[in-house]
Amino acid sequence: GFGKTLYRERTAGLSLMTPLMWNFLLISRAHATRITLEKYGADHSLGMDISLFQRIHSFIIGIGSRSLIRTDYRRFNGTPNSQWTGGLMWFIDPQTVLLLESSYEKRYPVSFSIGLESELNQALVLRFGYRSDIEQISFGGTIRIENISAITAFSIHPLLGVTRGFGILLDGW
């Protein structure tokens, strides 16, 4: 079977955004992830991501490293491996953003992502995306009530079928 019986991933994280001079923004994120693979068991990983962005007119340019510091899934013969990313966000209008991103990880070929996000009103955001390395399409949305956001996403994965994700974001706590 595929889907939730084959693979399950749970992540908890804490992010910090720090404004810097000259329209730069530093984002750091610590996270813990637990994965479960059918017939293999479960394992965990701890990681630290860091990214640097600069806003220039209606564009934001960024570069970062995912899992710059990471303990990997030893049970699945994993080794620590950083993923380097670069991206461009274009604010088509104040409520609509187009994202282009490229990622490089030593064990895998360069991948590309494209995404579109639109804020329909202060309480509702919709998004759509495509990832080249696994030919994955995703879509989802966010519902915001004051400083709390409920985020849901679905993706169509070539091996896992339709997968889903859910998260809660506490802003400004």
Side-chain angles (χ1 to χ4, degrees):
F2 291 105
K4 70 178 184 176
T5 61
L6 175 66
Y7 174 86
R8 175 173 287 168
E9 180 177 315
R10 294 183 177 134
T11 301
L14 180 63
S15 298
L16 177 65
M17 292 188 283
T18 307
L20 304 173
M21 57 185 150
W22 302 304
N23 289 331
F24 278 98
L25 179 66
L26 180 68
I27 300 176
S28 52
R29 178 176 179 254
H31 52 89
T33 302
R34 179 175 174 81
I35 65 168
T36 304
L37 294 173
E38 186 178 85
K39 299 179 185 172
Y40 292 96
D43 206 348
H44 67 279
S45 174
L46 302 173
M48 179 73 185
D49 307 343
I50 190 162
S51 301
L52 183 64
F53 298 91
Q54 184 180 31
R55 184 166 191 148
I56 302 170
H57 304 291
S58 61
F59 295 94
I60 293 180
I61 300 168
I63 188 167
S65 175
R66 292 189 184 131
S67 299
L68 184 62
I69 302 167
R70 180 169 87 184
T71 63
D72 217 327
Y73 307 102
R74 289 174 184 29
R75 183 173 185 153
F76 306 125
N77 296 321
T79 56
N81 200 21
S82 292
Q83 182 183 54
W84 297 93
T85 62
L88 174 69
M89 293 172 62
W90 173 35
F91 288 85
I92 299 168
D93 62 47
Q95 288 79 31
T96 308
V97 179
L98 178 67
L99 170 69
L100 303 171
E101 181 182 76
S102 178
S103 300
Y104 169 76
E105 188 172 351
K106 189 175 172 181
R107 295 181 283 194
Y108 303 103
V110 173
S111 68
F112 299 93
S113 301
I114 184 168
L116 185 65
E117 181 174 295
S118 184
E119 184 177 304
L120 302 180
N121 57 47
Q122 288 185 343
L124 183 62
V125 176
L126 296 178
R127 61 184 59 86
F128 172 81
Y130 174 77
R131 203 172 125 184
S132 70
D133 57 340
I134 55 174
E135 297 182 4
Q136 178 177 329
I137 295 171
S138 61
F139 54 94
T142 300
I143 297 174
R144 284 192 293 246
I145 301 172
E146 295 186 18
N147 291 345
I148 301 172
S149 298
I151 303 161
T152 187
F154 297 89
S155 60
I156 302 168
H157 190 281
L159 295 176
L160 302 176
V162 176
T163 63
R164 65 190 180 284
F166 180 77
I168 298 289
L169 176 64
L170 307 174
D171 190 16
W173 293 66

